[in-house]
Amino acid sequence: MKTPKHRYIPYGRQFIEEDDIQAVVDVLKSDYLTTGPAVRNFEKKIADYLGVKYAVAFSNGTAALHGACFAAGIKEGDEVITTPMTFAASANCILYQGGRPTFADIDPKTYNIDPNEIRKKINSKTKAIIPVDFTGQPVKLDEIMTIAHENNLIVIEDAAHAIGATYKNRKIGSIADMTMFSFHPVKHITTGEGGIITTNNKIFYDKLLQFRSHGITRDISLLSDNHGPWYYEMQFLGYNYRMSDIQAALGCSQIDKLNAFITRRKEIVKQYNQVLEDINEIQTPFQDSNGVSSWHLYVIKLNKDLLVIDRKQFFEELHYANIGVNVHYIPVHLQPYYQKLGYNRGDYPIAEDLYENIITLPLFPTMTNEEVRYVLETVVNLVNKYKTR
Ligand SMILES: *Cc1c(COP(=O)(O)O)cnc(C)c1O
C-alpha cells in the first residue's frame, strides 16, 4: 500500500491572525480608506523600528524601487549596477527611469553581489548601485558604501528579503542612502501588496512623497503660484503609487510581530542546518559573520557531482512529495526581455552556475516542527536514493 501524501507545504506564506483582521476591519469602518492616518502610522512604526528618520510607503515594493530610482535622479544615459541573482524588479526599476542596468556577478559563497565585481563595472555613466540582500543575508555594506563614496554613487539597497536583518549590529534600512522593503505575502510581514523606502535624507524623502502621488504638491513653500486654498501644483511626472490605509492597518498590526516571526524562522533554519550540514551532497547557506540574516529564504545548493539526478529531477521529486520548493532566482539577464536588450548568457558565470543547482526549501513562521521534519526526511531519503556512492 502506498503511504498517503503529506498535505502541501508551500515555500512561504503569510501569517494573519484575528487582531490583524480586526485592524483592517477598523479602517474599513473609518473615514479614510486610502492614504491617511494609518499610512502615516505605519511609516512612523517602520522608521522607529529601524532607527531611521524617514519612511515612505508605496503600493508595492517595485513601485518603491521606481520611486527610489527617480529620487536618485536616474535618467536616460545613466548606468546602475545590480546583481543578476535577484527578482526582475531590482533591475526593471532602472529601465523605468530610462537607465541601463549593469550587472555585477555574485560572490560564490554568500550569493550576494561581489564588491570587486562592482568596481570593475563602474564608468563615467554609473550613477547608483542597487545591491540585494539575497535570502535576507546583508550584502557587504561597508565595502559597497565606500565604493559609492569614492565614485559619487547613490546606494539603493533592495532589502525586500531583509527586514529585521543587521550588518555589524546596525539595522538594515538605516545604512544605505535609500532602502526598499516589500510587504508581499511571502515576505516577512505583509500588507497584501506594499513596499516602503527608508532614508535619512530629507531631499530624497520629499521627492519620494511627491513621486508617489502624481508629482503633485500642496506644500505652500514649494508652490510657484497660489490661486487659493484649493491650489496644488503638478511639478513633475509622478505616478499613483500610494499605499491605502487598508493595507497600512495590516502592516501596523504585522510589524509588532516581526521579531517573533524572525525568531521562528531562525529556529527552523537551525533544524535544517543540524541535519543538512552533515550531508556532502548538499551545500547549506553560508553566513558571513558581519551580518545577521533575517532568513527570508533557505536555499540549498546540490553538489551535482555527488548525485545521479539533476536539480530538475530533485525539484520534481520534492513536489511529488507535496513540498512546494521553489527556485530563487532565474538570473535576470537570462530573461528573454533582457536577452533582447543585449545581455548575454555566459557573462555572469557564478550566478548562472548557481542557478543550475539551487532549490529553495519551505520557510515561514507557521511551519510546524512536524513539517520541518517531513521536509528533512524527504530530502535525506532522496539524497540516499540518488547519491553516486
Ligand atoms: C519581492 C521583491 C521585490 C518586489 O517587491 P513587490 O512588493 O513584489 O513589488 C523586489 N526585489 C526583490 C529581491 C524581491 O524579492
Side-chain angles (χ1 to χ4, degrees):
M1 202 182 83
K2 247 184 136 192
T3 45
K5 274 189 192 175
H6 197 282
R7 83 182 162 283
Y8 183 75
I9 307 171
Y11 86 90
R13 65 160 290 151
Q14 70 277 12
F15 183 12
I16 302 288
E17 295 175 291
E18 274 311 314
D19 59 340
D20 298 306
I21 294 166
Q22 194 53 51
V24 173
V25 170
D26 290 347
V27 162
L28 289 171
K29 292 176 179 169
S30 78
D31 291 338
Y32 275 93
L33 292 187
T34 191
T35 318
V39 167
R40 283 191 293 277
N41 187 21
F42 182 51
E43 290 171 338
K44 184 168 187 323
K45 281 185 108 160
I46 294 278
D48 289 349
Y49 177 83
L50 299 172
V52 67
K53 279 193 194 147
Y54 309 108
V56 182
F58 281 82
S59 46
N60 57 68
T62 304
L65 281 173
H66 185 186
C69 285
F70 172 83
I74 306 307
K75 56 183 188 325
E76 211 176 316
D78 292 344
E79 291 186 7
V80 178
I81 299 170
T82 190
T83 171
M85 186 44 68
T86 186
F87 184 57
S90 313
N92 291 350
C93 60
I94 304 160
L95 295 174
Y96 296 156
Q97 282 300 110
R100 178 145 182 110
T102 304
F103 296 101
D105 211 347
I106 56 171
D107 176 328
K109 276 173 96 173
T110 62
Y111 312 156
N112 271 331
I113 195 166
D114 182 343
N116 296 320
E117 293 297 315
I118 294 177
R119 281 189 193 278
K120 291 183 202 164
K121 301 292 170 146
I122 294 173
N123 62 42
S124 60
K125 293 179 185 165
T126 312
K127 292 287 151 54
I129 310 170
I130 304 183
V132 179
D133 304 308
F134 180 64
T135 71
Q137 165 154 244
V139 290
K140 290 191 162 65
L141 270 167
D142 277 353
E143 285 91 327
I144 291 170
M145 295 310 289
T146 302
I147 293 170
H149 289 144
E150 286 168 4
N151 295 279
N152 204 16
L153 310 176
I154 291 169
V155 177
I156 301 167
E157 189 175 356
D158 178 340
H161 298 182
I163 194 163
T166 56
Y167 177 78
K168 297 187 177 175
N169 293 319
R170 287 176 290 162
K171 285 217 169 85
I172 293 301
S174 66
I175 303 169
D177 296 302
M178 287 178 268
T179 304
M180 184 281 285
F181 298 105
S182 164
F183 307 115
H184 181 281
V186 296
K187 308 289 162 70
H188 288 81
I189 57 170
T190 191
T191 58
E193 290 277 1
I196 208 161
I197 299 290
T198 61
T199 184
N200 283 313
N201 182 312
K202 177 79 161 61
I203 295 168
F204 292 152
Y205 174 64
D206 289 337
K207 280 189 185 161
L208 291 163
L209 281 178
Q210 203 167 339
F211 184 78
R212 84 166 170 197
S213 200
H214 312 278
I216 285 174
T217 185
R218 290 175 182 276
D219 184 338
I220 289 167
S221 67
L222 298 174
L223 300 177
S224 62
D225 199 350
N226 196 345
H227 306 171
W230 65 87
Y231 189 70
Y232 60 83
E233 281 181 359
M234 182 195 141
Q235 298 174 326
F236 57 77
L237 186 62
Y239 292 75
N240 180 353
Y241 277 166
R242 294 185 303 262
M243 178 181 274
S244 72
D245 264 27
I246 303 168
Q247 292 162 290
L250 182 55
C252 288
S253 178
Q254 289 260 298
I255 181 86
D256 293 335
K257 305 171 182 191
L258 175 58
N259 288 341
F261 289 174
I262 293 172
T263 300
R264 178 59 188 153
R265 284 175 178 271
K266 286 179 177 168
E267 280 170 13
I268 295 166
V269 167
K270 206 170 153 196
Q271 293 177 44
Y272 276 161
N273 282 340
Q274 263 164 8
V275 173
L276 300 179
E277 270 168 1
D278 295 334
I279 299 179
N280 292 332
E281 289 76 9
I282 284 171
Q283 200 163 312
T284 54
F286 170 84
Q287 296 298 294
D288 187 323
S289 59
N290 285 321
V292 178
S293 178
S294 55
W295 289 105
H296 168 51
L297 302 173
Y298 190 92
V299 172
I300 58 169
K301 185 181 179 196
L302 302 182
N303 192 341
K304 63 170 181 273
D305 299 333
L306 300 180
L307 290 162
V308 298
I309 59 171
D310 63 10
R311 188 268 310 275
K312 184 164 181 244
Q313 291 165 305
F314 208 100
F315 182 100
E316 285 167 349
E317 291 271 9
L318 287 166
H319 267 263
Y320 182 74
N322 258 345
I323 299 171
V325 291
N326 210 325
V327 172
H328 298 92
Y329 286 98
I330 304 160
V332 178
H333 70 286
L334 297 182
Q335 294 294 347
Y337 186 80
Y338 279 83
Q339 292 280 299
K340 269 185 261 160
L341 289 178
Y343 297 87
N344 297 311
R345 183 179 289 275
D347 282 352
Y348 311 99
I350 302 172
E352 290 170 29
D353 174 70
L354 182 68
Y355 166 60
E356 294 299 328
N357 298 296
I358 44 175
I359 291 177
T360 304
L361 297 184
L363 178 59
F364 51 94
T366 54
M367 192 176 181
T368 64
N369 288 341
E370 186 278 322
E371 288 174 321
V372 178
R373 275 195 302 275
Y374 175 70
V375 171
L376 282 169
E377 207 179 273
T378 309
V379 170
V380 169
N381 287 342
L382 283 173
V383 168
N384 287 334
K385 189 169 167 194
Y386 294 114
K387 62 184 176 186
T388 50
R389 54 188 166 81

